[in-house]
């Protein structure tokens, strides 16, 4: 099997495809990934750590946001703990970022955090292009370029309204206290049910 035999009409040494049969059939074992680019989504590069503070100062501006990167492999409990630690360390904002299959996990984590403490929320949805470049491991095969689009979600959670636009279309106010809800909003800790 050779990539060039599938794409005889391709004039250049780069072959562009979408998620096609060659990727789904497992025939990419003769190739290695050499480059992956995320285009059109600043802050969503895959090289960033799962949880990294953008700035460690404790001012209240949007530049002081701490970022929690949520991946499909990330454990929800560790993401929740990281976000809680960021908020308890004096930061007023935390930003949850997820792409593709991790979006539903990010929404779940945001809802759990909102039930632990009163947080304002702004949700932003976008999309980005991911370009993967594969080089052949054997001679005679062509370089393969795979391009596909992925949804990106950014959820900004804030203790106060500093830097938050309440007229934003993705804004959600903090949840109201429900009778019998086992949360102490003064400490942000779950109260044991009696």
């Amino acid at each position: 099997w050779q990539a060039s035999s599938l794409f005889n009409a391709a004039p250049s040494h780069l072959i562009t495809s979408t998620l096609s049969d060659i990727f789904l059939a497992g025939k990419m074992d003769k190739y290695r990934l050499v480059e992956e680019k995320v285009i059109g989504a600043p802050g969503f590069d895959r090289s960033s750590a799962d949880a990294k503070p953008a700035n460690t100062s404790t001012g209240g501006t949007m530049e002081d946001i701490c970022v929690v990167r949520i991946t499909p492999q990330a454990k929800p409990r560790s993401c929740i703990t990281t976000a809680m630690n960021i908020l308890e360390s004096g930061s007023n904002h935390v930003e949850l970022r997820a792409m593709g299959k991790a979006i539903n996990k990010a929404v779940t984590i945001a809802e759990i955090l909102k039930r632990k403490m009163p947080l304002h929320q702004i949700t932003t949805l976008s999309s980005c292009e991911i370009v993967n470049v594969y080089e052949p491991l054997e001679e005679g095969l062509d370089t393969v370029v795979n391009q596909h689009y992925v949804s990106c979600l950014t959820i900004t959670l804030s203790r106060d309204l500093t830097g938050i636009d309440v007229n934003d279309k993705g804004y959600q106010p903090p949840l109201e206290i429900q009778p019998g809800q086992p949360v102490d909003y003064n400490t942000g800790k779950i109260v044991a049910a009696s």
Side-chain angles (χ1 to χ4, degrees):
W1 179 83
Q2 291 184 355
S4 59
S5 65
L6 289 177
F7 302 102
N8 289 333
S12 77
H13 68 287
L14 291 180
I15 298 172
T16 302
S17 68
T18 59
L19 289 175
S20 64
D21 294 336
I22 60 171
F23 292 100
L24 298 176
K27 298 195 178 194
M28 291 302 294
D29 57 343
K30 296 182 181 182
Y31 290 86
R32 67 181 176 96
L33 180 66
V34 292
E35 183 180 7
E36 183 176 57
K37 292 184 209 172
V38 179
I39 302 169
F44 279 95
D45 59 333
R46 294 182 187 238
S47 62
S48 62
D50 281 350
K52 65 173 180 103
N55 189 346
T56 57
S57 65
T58 56
T61 64
M62 290 300 282
E63 288 79 34
D64 298 330
I65 295 177
C66 293
V67 176
V68 178
R69 176 90 165 90
I70 299 168
T71 62
Q73 297 83 18
K75 303 272 189 242
R77 181 178 294 193
S78 65
C79 294
I80 292 166
T81 303
T82 301
M84 290 290 291
N85 289 340
I86 289 170
L87 290 169
E88 289 174 357
S89 69
S91 178
N92 287 330
H93 298 82
V94 68
E95 192 172 276
L96 307 176
R97 291 183 185 166
M99 293 173 62
K101 294 179 180 179
I103 287 178
N104 60 344
K105 189 180 291 189
V107 171
T108 302
I109 290 168
E111 290 300 319
I112 291 170
L113 288 169
K114 286 172 56 177
R115 282 162 176 74
K116 289 186 177 238
M117 62 179 56
L119 296 170
H120 298 271
Q121 175 180 339
I122 291 186
T123 305
T124 307
L125 189 61
S126 62
S127 68
C128 65
E129 179 182 13
I130 297 180
V131 180
N132 296 325
V133 179
Y134 296 90
E135 283 185 353
L137 297 173
E138 299 177 1
E139 287 187 32
L141 298 177
D142 294 331
T143 301
V144 177
V145 178
N146 178 348
Q147 301 172 335
H148 59 280
Y149 290 88
V150 177
S151 297
C152 302
L153 178 75
T154 303
I155 300 174
T156 304
L157 299 171
S158 175
R159 288 179 181 254
D160 56 23
L161 289 172
T162 306
I164 299 292
D165 180 14
V166 295
N167 296 321
D168 189 288
K169 61 185 172 186
Y171 174 74
Q172 293 180 22
L175 298 174
E176 294 183 17
I177 299 174
Q178 300 294 326
Q181 189 173 6
V183 175
D184 181 2
Y185 282 124
N186 294 325
T187 62
K189 305 286 185 198
I190 296 178
V191 177
S194 47

